[in-house]
Each structure stands twice: as C-alpha cells, then as structure tokens.
C-alpha cells in the first residue's frame, strides 16, 4: 500500500495543478482511510471543487472538506507609518 | 514652514478572482476614494491566468476614481498570457508595472512606485546561489535581474515618496505562518537588498497567503504582506506622512 504521505502529496499537487482549482495553500492530512482538507478560500464553489478534485485523486479515501470560506470584510483601520 | 499631510495607500494582493465571484470584489471598493489616494494590487489577480479571468479583473477595476497600480503574480503567469492580461488591465486604466516604475501625482505629492512580480530563491544564509546546474543558475539569475531592475528604477526616480510593489516577498518575517520548507519559493532577500540599497518608504507584497502582515527589511524599510487571506479585509490602508511639498526652488541640487 502507498504510504499516506505520498498520497497526501499527490492530492496536494492535484489541487494545485488541476485546472478547476489551482489552489496552492491547502493542507492535506490522511489518517487511515480518512482524508482532511484544511485552509481558506474565497468562495464556496472553490471549496466544493477542491473537495471534488481530492476525491477524484484519492477515490479510496473518505474526504472531510474542512476548508473555510473567508469573505473579505470592509476595510478596517488605517495604519500610519511614520 | 511645512505642514504634515498623509499619502494614503490602499493595498491588497491575491484577490484571485473568478467567474463565480464576479462583481463581488468591486462592491467592496465602493467609497475607496474617501479612504485612499491610490490603490495598489500586489499580483495574483486571477486563479489560472486565463484571458477570461484577466478580462474579469479588468472589469472589476475599471473606472475607479483613484489611480490603480498593479503587478502580476505567479497565478497570472500560469497560462503564458501575462502580456495579454496586462494589456486588458491597461485598457481598463490600470497601471501595470513590470520591473519598472511610475510617478503618480497625488494632490501635492509625487508618489513613485517601482515593482514587478519579483521571484523566489530564499533568504540570506538559506538561499539558492548561481552555481551548478543551468536550471538553478537560471532560477537565481532571474531574481537577480529583477532586483537589479528595481534598484535602477528606484535610483532614477524623482518622487517625494517611493513605494515598491511586488508579488513575492523580500523578507521572511512576513512569511511567518507558512511552512519554512517553502520559503525559497515565496521570496528572495535579493529584492530587499536592492531596495535597501536604493531606498524606499514602503514595500508591499502578496503571495504568502498564510504569512503575516508586518515586517521590516534589514535596512529598516517597512514591509507589508497584503495578501487578502492575511488581511482578512478588502484592502489595507497605509498612510505615509509627507512634509507639505516645498516649492521647487527650495530643492537642494
Ligand atoms: Fe496568491
Ligand atoms: Fe502567488
């Protein structure tokens, strides 16, 4: 059986290189037959696509998509540089 | 007698826009002219660097009431359409820097901006060097060439305030939060060295989505990582204090 580290690396590479996602900052962890995705993206569609690509890359694993969708809020306080 | 005024710079990087979020970022820019004098984007405007995404970003930035300056990021290069994307942005009135500089008149002040995508290589003591295989030498010399262009552009620039706009990071402090193993792909100290040599008031970069906002070069120039996931808000505003510009005959020659 392929070591989980290599499977995780393969999934992470797929998330970065697949034309549907191109997401570089997603953390992939594998525990037994469970695969966990963590990180932040800007939209829920992107989160779903990442889950889909991860599933296709490692169909034998159960994918837990724990990616957060972070919406940029209003600009906050100014910083004065002096 | 001179009074002090602020030059307000709105900045963000890594907005990574796509069709599914069309129009949403633009909404966040409403009223930006009341908060800032200029808007700067630190690259990674798109996800895959396609022409469609480039056009979408151009639409989102078109016709803002303040000057908009951008550089491209690695994602914007992914489809080998960086020139086409830059053209789309320029058609929308956006200033696109590609290892060169521009001087923008902001009220009384001349704001100089120098920048480009930047590149990686790592940080002093733990970096790649121009030695060995051709591929490694090309990697390092790419960054070295960029740093050299920025240094020249800064030295030639006549402006009251100078800001460097990059995608890759010049320092490792603003990468804090990223895995150390990938630091060489996130930036290069050669960029900081060049800017420290030529001088600037602020360096803005993106690219490190999990990094930290604030840092400083070895020469004491403030660095801000403005990647959207780092800021967690639509853009940050940095105020540079300027002396009310003296009339030209007061300049030293
Ligand atoms: Fe990015
Ligand atoms: Fe990037």
């Amino acid at each position: 059986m392929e070591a989980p580290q290599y499977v995780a690396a393969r999934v992470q590479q797929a998330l970065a290189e697949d034309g549907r996602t191109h997401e570089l900052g997603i953390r992939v962890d594998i525990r037994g037959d469970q695969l966990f995705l963590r990180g932040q993206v800007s939209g829920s569609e992107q989160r779903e696509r990442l889950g889909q690509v991860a599933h296709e890359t490692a169909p034998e694993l159960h994918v837990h998509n724990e990616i957060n969708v972070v919406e940029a809020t209003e600009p906050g306080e100014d910083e004065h540089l002096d | 007698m001179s009074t002090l005024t602020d030059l307000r710079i709105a900045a963000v990087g890594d907005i990574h826009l796509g069709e599914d979020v069309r129009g949403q970022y633009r909404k966040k820019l409403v009223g930006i002219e009341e908060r800032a004098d200029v808007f700067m984007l630190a690259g990674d405007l798109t996800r895959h660097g396609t022409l469609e995404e480039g056009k979408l970003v151009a639409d989102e930035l078109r016709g803002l009431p303040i000057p908009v300056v951008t550089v491209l990021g690695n994602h914007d290069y992914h489809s080998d359409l960086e020139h086409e994307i830059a053209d789309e942005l320029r058609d929308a009135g956006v200033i696109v820097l590609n290892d060169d500089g521009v001087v923008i008149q902001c009220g009384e002040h001349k704001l100089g901006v120098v920048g480009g995508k930047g590149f990686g290589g790592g940080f002093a003591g733990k970096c790649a060097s121009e030695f060995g295989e051709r591929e490694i030498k090309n990697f390092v010399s790419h960054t070295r060439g960029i740093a050299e262009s920025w240094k020249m552009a800064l030295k030639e620039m006549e402006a009251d305030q100078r800001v460097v706009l990059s995608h890759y990071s010049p320092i490792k402090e603003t990468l804090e939060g990223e895995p150390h193993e990938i630091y060489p792909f996130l930036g290069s100290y050669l960029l900081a060295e060049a800017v420290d040599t030529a001088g600037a008031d602020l360096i803005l970069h993106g690219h490190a989505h999990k990094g930290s906002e604030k840092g400083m070069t070895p020469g004491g120039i403030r660095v801000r990582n403005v990647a959207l996931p780092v800021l967690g808000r639509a853009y940050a505003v940095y105020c540079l204090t300027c002396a009310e510009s003296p009339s030209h005959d007061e300049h030293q020659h």
Side-chain angles (χ1 to χ4, degrees):
Chain A
M1 205 185 95
E2 194 178 5
Q5 289 90 332
Y6 294 134
V7 180
R10 193 150 46 76
V11 171
Q12 198 163 39
Q13 197 171 350
L15 301 179
E17 293 177 3
D18 192 289
R20 290 167 291 174
T21 51
H22 283 308
E23 196 67 55
L24 301 178
I26 301 300
R27 180 174 167 168
V28 181
D29 285 304
I30 294 174
R31 298 285 180 273
D33 61 354
Q34 312 288 308
L35 183 150
F36 298 85
L37 297 177
R38 292 194 198 111
Q40 294 185 350
V41 295
S42 57
S44 55
E45 289 182 32
Q46 177 74 343
R47 172 172 61 189
E48 297 320 308
R49 285 191 291 263
L50 288 160
Q52 182 61 30
V53 172
H55 169 71
E56 288 170 21
T57 312
E60 67 284 5
L61 301 179
H62 179 68
V63 176
H64 299 267
N65 192 341
E66 298 181 354
I67 294 168
N68 294 326
V69 176
V70 181
E71 248 218 90
T73 61
E74 294 298 310
E77 207 187 350
D78 298 356
E79 183 189 358
H80 289 258
L81 301 167
D82 43 29
Chain B
M1 199 184 83
S2 71
T3 52
L4 297 177
T5 54
D6 273 347
L7 188 64
R8 301 164 304 163
I9 299 162
V12 71
D14 302 84
I15 54 177
H16 289 290
L17 299 183
E19 196 55 53
D20 56 326
V21 293
R22 181 185 280 276
Q24 289 181 20
Y25 189 69
R26 176 61 181 225
K27 279 189 214 147
K28 307 259 167 51
L29 299 179
V30 171
I32 191 170
E33 70 277 14
E34 279 144 36
R35 296 168 179 274
D37 302 301
V38 59
F39 184 34
M40 299 195 190
L41 293 117
D44 272 7
L45 311 176
T46 68
R47 292 175 187 158
H48 323 92
T50 63
L51 198 53
E52 292 69 34
E53 287 177 345
K55 287 180 174 164
L56 187 149
V57 172
D59 285 344
E60 298 274 308
L61 300 177
R62 194 183 308 274
L64 282 178
I66 54 174
V68 182
V69 189
T70 194
V71 298
L72 299 183
N74 55 321
H75 282 246
D76 309 318
Y77 276 71
H78 181 69
S79 303
D80 294 316
L81 292 170
E82 61 274 14
H83 300 295
E84 289 79 356
I85 291 173
D87 287 342
E88 290 293 336
L89 292 165
R90 290 189 180 110
D91 283 348
V94 176
I95 300 164
V96 184
L97 294 179
N98 186 16
D99 300 334
D100 50 4
V102 65
V103 177
I104 302 168
Q105 191 72 40
C106 288
E108 303 260 300
H109 310 293
K110 279 192 168 72
L111 170 66
V113 193
V114 164
K117 176 179 63 63
F119 202 48
F123 299 90
K126 297 178 177 65
C127 59
S129 51
E130 274 187 81
F131 178 83
E133 301 91 323
R134 179 46 53 197
E135 287 80 359
I136 287 285
K137 283 188 279 209
N138 288 348
F139 183 82
V140 178
S141 73
H142 181 51
T143 311
R144 210 174 278 281
I146 288 167
E148 197 57 37
S149 308
W150 294 5
K151 188 164 74 186
M152 296 310 292
L154 282 169
K155 282 186 170 169
E156 288 167 6
M157 178 161 272
E158 286 199 37
D160 302 317
Q161 299 282 340
R162 292 181 299 174
V163 174
V164 173
L165 184 59
S166 174
H167 181 60
Y168 286 78
S169 177
I171 59 166
K172 48 183 185 180
E173 276 171 271
T174 47
L175 303 180
E176 199 75 46
E178 295 279 359
H180 288 218
E181 293 86 342
I182 67 168
Y183 276 19
F185 303 106
L186 298 178
S188 165
Y189 82 100
L190 295 172
L191 305 175
E193 190 181 39
V195 180
D196 273 338
T197 304
D201 299 284
L202 173 65
I203 307 177
L204 300 169
H205 76 87
H207 190 47
H209 292 202
K210 288 184 276 194
S212 321
E213 185 185 353
K214 298 176 186 182
M216 195 184 275
T217 65
I221 299 170
R222 249 74 66 90
V223 179
R224 295 293 178 264
N225 176 358
V226 294
L228 184 66
V230 171
L231 296 179
R233 54 194 197 276
Y235 53 85
V237 179
Y238 303 109
C239 303
L240 296 175
T241 304
C242 314
E244 195 72 51
S245 60
S247 59
H248 281 283
D249 50 25
E250 287 178 66
H251 274 293
Q252 302 289 313
H253 289 282

